[in-house]
Amino acid sequence: MPNFCAAPNCTRKSTQSDLAFFRFPRDPDRCRLWVENCRRADLETKTSEQLNKHYRLCARHFEPAMICRTSPYRTVLRDSAVPTIFDLTSHLNNPHSRHRKRIKELTEEDIRRLKERRLESSVEQLHSKQEKRRDSEPPRSEPQLTPQQQEFRHFLRAAFEIVLLSGRRRIPLAGPGRLGPSNFQALLEVRMNAGDAPFGSRFDACAVNVEYCSADEQERMLELCEQSVREGILRDVRESRFFSLVTGDPAEFPGGAQLPLCLRFVDRSGALREELVDFVPFEADCGAMAERLQAHVAQRWGLSMAHCRGQAHAGSGAFTGQIRAVAVRLMEAQPAAVLTPSSTHALNVQLASCVPLTGVKVVMATLRRISSFFQTSPLLLNQLHETISILFKDNPEKSRELRQLDLFSWTEMHGVFQVALDLLEPFLRCMDSVHDNKDVKWSGCITSEACSIAEVLADFEFIVTLVVLKNALSFTRAFGKNIQGDTLDIFFAASSLTAVLHSLNEVIDNIEVYHEFWFEESVNVAAAIDVPVRVPRLFLRKQRDHGGEELQPEFFFKDYLTIPLMQCVARDVKDLFSESHLKALKCLSLVPAIMGQMKFNTSEESHAEVYRSDLPNPDTLPAELHCWRIKWKHRGKEVGLPGSIHETLQLPDVKFFPNVSGFLKVLSMLPVLKLQDKRHTSALKRLRTYLYSTPLRYRSRRLATLSAGPHATPDLLQVVDQYMKVGSEKETRTTPAVNVPPNQGSFI
């Protein structure tokens, strides 16, 4: 049944217009105002209940500011809304028309009453706006400060800006540094010379040989900045609720090795972020380390490990086996914290790093040493390029490809072992040339390192290990590249895991045949660079001490390298891609582009149990998934299909599918998925840049945290207030009778 508008001279009804129609209010006072403004005498005799039940006004009689559109399908009135727009004169132009809605003639008393009421209403609205403005404005404390305190507050804010700049630009505060005896002092002087009055006055008041800011004060300022940044990140994580835990290699600091802890989450804008939050001391005891991590997340960060939906430990070297054991302990305590590879490290590199064999550890460490060696000087890179040009003069395409290789990040490539074999001879000849140092252009440190690397490269054990790694991991190379690629590649790669495991098991079952081909390739590579084929010296010595028979190199490397390496790779692939992990990846079919590839014939309900408890309305999930498929299946031709979780979450209408949105947010937190938003790069990569550019004695965990989070900005005013509060409390404890800004006797 249609709704008719009760306003005079208004003939609109709900079936002929898309306007919203509003009931008369139940509140008697508000309802009386509506009736008076309508000017209909026949409505004055009716109660507010009758009016609310039987009469409506359309949206044309309300100011636009009085109407709120909470969604495209819902329009409501503000609590104080009163109709004020009416046509009270058009019926005068047609005296023969019949009017069911008669307009009341106002007396002078009625007019006076209306004017008074409107005046009172306008005054009340003005007072209400002033009160809201006062409530919304933050309390200002600066006018209550003395000029001296305001000057000190301005100085502190500028000093904290310098601390923040040092963290962003990876400048150590302590000296001697790049900018003089103390980088912090040099930056203060730059600020003073730029004309900052508070800085100049404080410098003038100090002795020329005063230490402007002690190391303790700098550490205290760094601590406050770090706390503010961390609290901002944790606030976003708590709002998101779910998160994943990501760790990297232990970082060396003056106080010892520290394990970096990162959180991956989706912020309120739908952007996936991975932020470095803190460091914890690394322990060799796996059980103790797992307990320490859980306690750190719960007690220091105020988060619940029950909301952790993924974990990745992007370590390398001997540390990898220990942190993998820690991951297993965490999964035992929190089964929902699925172990996955890290998107910032190639899968083949992670698999090789997890192999506990000494030869494999030597290969991985040597490749990292080579990468660091050529970052020492651009001249070394030029020397390598010259060597490549000479060796590959008959193959210019190969020469160009190898010279264009980025040696700063080549150890993170999916095909790193194939590239290492291609560059083995150029590496060796370049190291020999640097070690000879005929032109005397290399320092003793560089020549010594070149000689050490050359000795490792010219060892047959290194060569055969590199060849076996290249061939063994060729079965996971394409799979790893896809599983860490685009969303569409990840979805289909998850379905190919069975084939990958079948290939690895087939190699293990026929290991004698495969090893024979791999060993022959190793012998050919060794012959090309004049390396003798032999069993490792350490094993030969032990064998002779025990009087055993001499073992041939081919059989030795089959038993002690190829077989255990293949078994370890197959086991790790199976562990990294558990059943719950694969179910989660198959839920990527919620992404519209994948739905289109599957001809909109997907069945997410069968995998929904993985995250059913995380959804806002799990009971309505089947109906919502059906509507989600229908929405994209019958879209317009001009509407494209989003190809990633990030693009899907940015859609304005995804909020009308809360279960789908919740599903996608939890899925995107899995560390195996790469960060789509280029503004939020991996925190571990930024941390590695800081560690590489900062000498060990000048490293700071707090500066590293600031450096790894360039877009996480602390609230400097809040930090300054906290610093002044702590300083005032300290001054009160020492000299309670003096009321001056904290540390007024010194520069800070």
Side-chain angles (χ1 to χ4, degrees):
M1 182 176 178
N3 292 316
F4 293 89
C5 183
N9 295 321
C10 183
T11 59
R12 300 182 186 92
K13 58 182 179 179
S14 58
T15 56
Q16 297 175 346
S17 173
D18 58 353
L19 285 175
F21 280 71
F22 304 105
R23 298 174 182 271
F24 276 66
R26 291 181 182 274
D27 179 57
D29 294 333
R30 283 190 62 207
C31 188
R32 179 171 49 84
L33 290 176
W34 283 40
V35 171
E36 288 183 358
N37 288 356
C38 282
R39 297 269 298 275
R40 282 188 56 181
D42 58 318
L43 299 184
E44 292 182 352
T45 59
K46 301 184 182 298
T47 64
S48 58
E49 294 292 336
Q50 292 173 329
L51 291 169
N52 176 265
K53 186 175 181 180
H54 300 292
Y55 292 88
R56 313 283 188 270
L57 286 179
C58 68
R60 290 292 178 86
H61 305 292
F62 295 87
E63 296 287 346
M66 295 295 178
I67 301 174
C68 300
R69 291 182 64 86
T70 59
S71 75
Y73 309 105
R74 180 174 171 81
T75 304
V76 297
L77 286 176
R78 297 187 182 277
D79 294 339
S80 59
V82 176
T84 56
I85 303 173
F86 293 98
D87 178 14
L88 303 177
T89 59
S90 62
H91 67 284
L92 300 177
N93 298 327
N94 187 8
H96 301 290
S97 63
R98 298 178 59 188
H99 296 284
R100 181 174 53 86
K101 300 180 263 188
R102 294 186 177 276
I103 300 176
K104 178 183 177 182
E105 298 294 335
L106 297 180
T107 63
E108 293 184 0
E109 181 65 21
D110 293 333
I111 295 174
R112 184 184 63 80
R113 234 183 6 256
L114 282 175
K115 289 182 178 180
E116 290 179 353
R117 186 177 297 112
R118 288 174 182 172
L119 179 61
E120 291 175 358
S121 176
S122 61
V123 172
E124 289 178 358
Q125 290 179 2
L126 178 62
H127 288 324
S128 176
K129 289 181 180 179
Q130 291 176 349
E131 290 177 359
K132 288 182 178 179
R133 190 180 298 112
R134 284 196 297 267
D135 294 340
S136 62
E137 291 180 353
R140 297 182 179 180
S141 57
E142 290 191 7
Q144 301 176 2
L145 299 177
T146 64
Q148 183 185 20
Q149 290 172 329
Q150 291 182 15
E151 178 184 333
F152 183 68
R153 182 187 178 90
H154 173 78
F155 163 74
L156 279 181
R157 175 166 182 169
F160 275 106
E161 288 176 353
I162 292 175
V163 172
L164 195 60
L165 173 66
S166 301
R168 296 286 188 264
R169 300 300 181 185
R170 300 184 293 275
I171 302 175
L173 296 179
R178 316 175 201 170
L179 307 179
S182 169
N183 290 335
F184 184 78
Q185 178 175 333
L187 291 171
L188 287 174
E189 292 177 355
V190 169
R191 187 72 180 257
M192 178 196 68
N193 295 331
D196 199 321
F199 272 82
S201 62
R202 298 188 73 82
F203 268 85
D204 295 339
C206 294
V208 294
N209 61 343
V210 72
E211 182 182 9
Y212 297 134
C213 183
S214 65
D216 293 339
E217 290 297 329
Q218 293 179 23
E219 189 67 19
R220 183 169 145 216
M221 296 172 73
L222 268 177
E223 182 181 1
L224 291 176
C225 283
E226 181 200 27
Q227 288 177 357
S228 180
V229 169
R230 182 187 299 119
E231 281 305 315
I233 295 173
L234 293 178
R235 195 181 308 116
D236 292 339
V237 176
R238 295 187 191 103
E239 187 174 330
S240 173
R241 187 183 177 194
F242 299 107
F243 62 91
S244 287
L245 187 65
V246 181
T247 68
D249 281 315
E252 290 294 335
F253 290 98
Q258 300 283 330
L259 183 68
L261 300 182
C262 301
L263 290 179
R264 175 180 278 229
F265 60 97
V266 177
D267 62 16
R268 67 180 67 180
S269 66
L272 177 62
R273 292 166 53 186
E274 185 177 299
E275 302 288 356
L276 176 64
V277 183
D278 210 345
F279 293 87
V280 296
F282 181 73
E283 297 183 11
D285 187 350
C286 302
M289 189 66 203
E291 293 179 0
R292 178 189 287 271
L293 284 178
Q294 294 187 77
H296 201 87
V297 171
Q299 299 173 10
R300 186 175 175 86
W301 296 350
L303 303 176
S304 173
M305 279 298 294
H307 295 156
C308 182
R309 291 296 173 265
Q311 54 172 322
H313 306 282
S316 59
F319 152 81
T320 309
Q322 297 172 333
I323 197 64
R324 182 61 61 85
V326 172
V328 173
R329 296 292 184 92
L330 290 177
M331 285 189 66
E332 292 175 354
Q334 301 293 338
V338 179
L339 178 64
T340 76
S342 173
S343 61
T344 58
H345 291 67
L347 178 63
N348 275 1
V349 176
Q350 296 182 65
L351 292 174
S353 299
C354 294
V355 178
L357 303 177
T358 303
V360 177
K361 294 178 182 178
V362 170
V363 168
M364 300 304 295
T366 304
L367 296 184
R368 290 192 294 271
R369 284 179 64 187
I370 292 173
S371 180
S372 300
F373 177 78
F374 285 104
Q375 294 180 48
T376 306
S377 170
L379 297 177
L380 290 172
L381 202 57
N382 294 337
Q383 181 76 28
L384 177 64
H385 289 169
E386 292 177 5
T387 306
I388 293 174
S389 299
I390 295 172
L391 290 176
F392 293 91
K393 60 182 179 180
D394 297 333
N395 190 350
E397 293 184 3
K398 188 71 172 179
S399 174
R400 190 184 312 109
E401 178 185 347
L402 294 178
R403 282 186 283 110
Q404 291 177 351
L405 191 67
D406 183 9
L407 287 181
F408 299 155
S409 60
W410 74 296
T411 55
E412 297 302 325
M413 297 172 55
H414 292 278
V416 59
F417 304 112
Q418 178 63 60
V419 174
L421 272 176
D422 294 338
L423 286 172
L424 182 60
E425 186 175 0
F427 280 154
L428 186 57
R429 292 200 180 187
C430 181
M431 298 298 172
D432 291 340
S433 176
V434 172
H435 178 246
D436 291 341
N437 201 16
K438 292 181 180 180
D439 299 333
V440 196
K441 62 179 180 180
W442 311 114
S443 65
C445 180
I446 291 179
T447 57
S448 175
E449 179 69 4
C451 179
S452 176
I453 294 175
E455 289 181 356
V456 178
L457 296 179
D459 185 11
F460 182 72
E461 183 180 10
F462 177 89
I463 296 174
V464 69
T465 304
L466 185 60
V467 171
V468 172
L469 276 172
K470 185 262 296 185
N471 288 287
L473 295 176
S474 65
F475 299 97
T476 59
R477 179 176 173 178
F479 171 77
K481 191 173 183 179
N482 290 332
I483 205 71
Q484 293 171 315
D486 295 331
T487 308
L488 193 63
D489 297 330
I490 296 171
F491 176 77
F492 289 108
S495 303
S496 66
L497 177 66
T498 303
V500 173
L501 290 174
H502 177 76
S503 299
L504 294 174
N505 291 326
E506 193 269 338
V507 173
I508 294 174
D509 294 338
N510 301 276
I511 197 65
E512 289 82 5
V513 177
Y514 283 94
H515 176 73
E516 182 179 351
F517 285 105
W518 298 349
F519 186 79
E520 182 180 354
E521 181 183 354
S522 304
V523 172
N524 293 334
V525 172
I529 56 177
D530 300 324
V531 173
V533 178
R534 61 186 179 186
V535 175
R537 179 185 58 83
L538 184 60
F539 179 81
L540 278 178
R541 191 185 67 183
K542 292 181 178 180
Q543 189 180 39
R544 290 167 184 167
D545 292 342
H546 291 83
E549 296 182 2
E550 186 173 351
L551 190 62
Q552 294 299 318
E554 179 178 355
F555 302 110
F556 168 81
F557 287 111
K558 183 189 74 172
D559 295 336
Y560 292 93
L561 174 64
T562 307
I563 293 178
L565 188 148
M566 288 301 306
Q567 292 174 343
C568 185
V569 168
R571 182 179 65 250
D572 287 344
V573 170
K574 190 173 182 179
D575 291 343
L576 281 174
F577 297 94
S578 60
E579 183 179 353
S580 55
H581 184 192
L582 292 178
K583 283 185 177 181
L585 293 180
K586 289 177 181 177
C587 291
L588 290 173
S589 57
L590 289 170
V591 176
I594 299 179
M595 296 171 65
Q597 286 286 330
M598 303 294 291
K599 306 299 181 184
F600 300 97
N601 186 22
T602 56
S603 57
E604 295 82 7
E605 294 91 344
S606 59
H607 310 299
E609 295 300 327
V610 181
Y611 299 122
R612 177 172 288 273
S613 59
D614 302 336
L615 303 180
N617 301 300
D619 295 336
T620 63
L621 179 63
E624 187 175 316
L625 290 177
H626 176 73
C627 295
W628 180 252
R629 281 192 290 269
I630 295 299
K631 166 185 169 59
W632 294 107
K633 185 175 182 179
H634 299 289
R635 72 192 187 282
K637 293 182 178 180
E638 71 283 356
V639 179
L641 293 174
S644 68
I645 295 180
H646 177 70
E647 293 178 11
T648 307
L649 290 176
Q650 299 302 317
L651 297 174
D653 54 350
V654 74
K655 59 186 176 182
F656 301 120
F657 300 87
N659 288 317
V660 172
S661 176
F663 240 129
L664 293 176
K665 286 182 179 179
V666 177
L667 282 175
S668 65
M669 295 176 199
L670 292 178
V672 70
L673 302 178
K674 65 180 181 180
L675 297 168
Q676 295 286 341
D677 194 344
K678 295 181 179 180
R679 295 173 300 173
H680 303 292
T681 56
S682 170
L684 292 177
K685 288 186 177 180
R686 298 192 295 266
L687 174 62
R688 285 198 296 269
T689 303
Y690 169 81
L691 296 175
Y692 175 76
S693 62
T694 308
L696 176 61
R697 63 183 182 276
Y698 296 134
R699 290 178 185 174
S700 166
R701 292 187 294 112
R702 296 189 170 95
L703 272 179
T705 304
L706 295 178
S707 174
H711 50 271
T713 304
D715 186 348
L716 289 181
L717 289 178
Q718 183 179 1
V719 172
V720 168
D721 291 339
Q722 189 173 359
Y723 182 90
M724 294 181 69
K725 179 181 178 181
V726 175
S728 300
E729 292 175 354
K730 186 184 297 186
E731 292 289 334
T732 304
R733 289 194 299 268
T734 55
T735 56
V738 181
N739 185 15
V740 296
N743 301 304
Q744 188 68 25
S746 61
F747 186 69
I748 290 185

